[in-house]
């Protein structure tokens, strides 16, 4: 069964006569899908509709199926954990003052057991090489570092589906390359079914 199956999806924002998007898509476990199109073609709207909690108000037709079930029929907690979302602007996602607090914020909200959190954070901090940043203020981090922190916070929840909305648009070419090489490595290490 496909991980994600989008069927005849159309969505219109309130008071807009023209639909913001109209499409279909299927994603299987381990797949890496790139959505491209000009600004305003509906990429962000589509991603927000996939992670149901981020869905904007408006009229939706068609279906977004995750593991064969409509996203609106899942418990919010399940989608919060299983579908990770990294926003376009890193500052829109950072909420805590310090890097370590930011990393564990999502896990704490999920109510994970402290011992498990410590082990999981230690593993990921090592993977990303974040040790020197842990005590630093999030406001001192560059955009590239902030976006890596956002990615790591999302990955700590061990998501099955990762949605990245132009995550490198605010990064310089070196930081963008680093970001994508991490994604590629993750996809190779844990993306295969
Ligand atoms: P992209 O991410 O591809 O640039 P968006 O999904 O942001 O595209 O936007 C798709 C369309 O929906 C555009 O025409 C945009 O102007 C419109 N749109 C986006 N957000 C809103 C909103 N909150 N209210 C009304 N229209 C919106
Ligand atoms: Mg967008």
């Amino acid at each position: 069964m496909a991980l994600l199956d989008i069927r005849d999806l159309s969505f219109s924002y309130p008071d807009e006569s023209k639909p913001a998007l109209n499409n279909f898509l299927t994603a299987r476990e381990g797949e890496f899908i790139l959505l491209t199109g000009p600004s305003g073609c509906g990429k962000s709207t589509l991603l927000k509709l996939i992670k149901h909690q981020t869905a904007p108000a408006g009229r939706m037709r068609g279906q977004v199926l995750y593991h064969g079930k409509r996203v609106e029929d899942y418990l919010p907690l399940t989608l919060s954990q299983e579908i990770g979302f990294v926003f376009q602007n890193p500052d829109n996602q950072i909420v805590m003052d310090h890097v370590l607090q930011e990393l564990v914020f999502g896990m704490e909200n999920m109510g994970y057991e402290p011992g498990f959190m410590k082990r999981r954070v230690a593993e990921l901090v090592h993977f990303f090489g974040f040790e020197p940043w842990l005590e630093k203020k999030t406001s001192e981090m560059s955009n590239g570092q902030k976006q890596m922190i956002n990615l790591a916070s999302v990955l700590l929840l061990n998501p099955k589906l990762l949605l990245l909305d132009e995550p490198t648009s605010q990064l310089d070419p070196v930081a963008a390359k680093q970001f994508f090489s991490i994604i590629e490595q993750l996809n190779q290490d844990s993306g295969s079914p």
Side-chain angles (χ1 to χ4, degrees):
M1 184 192 296
L3 184 65
L4 184 69
D5 197 1
I6 295 178
R7 297 185 183 165
D8 301 323
L9 181 68
S10 126
F11 180 81
S12 306
Y13 284 95
D15 307 323
E16 300 285 338
S17 53
K18 211 166 120 270
L21 67 92
N22 208 329
N23 56 28
F24 56 89
L25 178 128
T26 301
R28 297 184 187 283
E29 229 168 285
E31 266 183 339
F32 199 134
I33 295 175
L34 183 66
L35 285 176
T36 60
S39 179
C41 77
K43 304 179 294 292
S44 298
T45 304
L46 175 63
L47 295 181
K48 287 177 190 163
L49 293 173
I50 294 173
K51 179 153 181 164
H52 186 60
Q53 294 101 314
T54 54
R59 290 184 308 283
M60 181 178 130
R61 286 189 14 223
Q63 289 183 321
V64 180
L65 304 176
Y66 174 68
H67 280 301
K69 184 166 132 180
R70 294 177 341 159
V71 281
E72 52 270 45
D73 294 337
Y74 278 89
L75 288 175
L77 203 65
T78 308
L79 293 188
S80 297
Q81 187 259 308
E82 295 196 8
I83 304 184
F85 200 153
V86 177
F87 301 146
Q88 181 165 4
N89 182 344
D91 285 322
N92 289 349
Q93 197 150 3
I94 301 247
V95 287
M96 302 302 279
D97 288 336
H98 288 91
V99 174
L100 182 58
Q101 290 171 338
E102 182 63 39
L103 287 174
V104 296
F105 181 69
M107 292 182 106
E108 281 176 341
N109 283 330
M110 288 285 162
Y112 287 156
E113 190 260 312
F116 173 78
M117 288 203 285
K118 272 192 185 155
R119 283 194 304 278
R120 184 98 185 105
V121 170
E123 259 172 37
L124 219 77
V125 163
H126 180 70
F127 176 80
F128 276 87
F130 276 173
E131 291 88 348
W133 301 356
L134 289 181
E135 303 301 322
K136 293 206 170 162
K137 286 193 155 183
T138 44
S139 56
E140 289 168 18
M141 300 280 109
S142 69
N143 275 345
Q145 291 167 333
K146 283 180 188 165
Q147 207 57 312
M148 287 291 188
I149 293 166
N150 288 339
L151 176 64
S153 324
V154 160
L155 291 174
L156 280 168
L157 302 182
N158 208 10
K160 293 193 168 59
L161 175 65
L162 197 52
L163 307 175
L164 308 169
D165 192 356
E166 301 197 41
T168 59
S169 63
Q170 311 237 348
L171 309 189
D172 62 54
V174 174
K177 204 164 169 227
Q178 278 170 349
F179 188 92
F180 279 121
S181 68
I182 292 250
I183 297 289
E184 196 181 355
Q185 196 178 336
L186 286 167
N187 182 257
Q188 281 168 6
D189 293 352
S190 58
S192 343

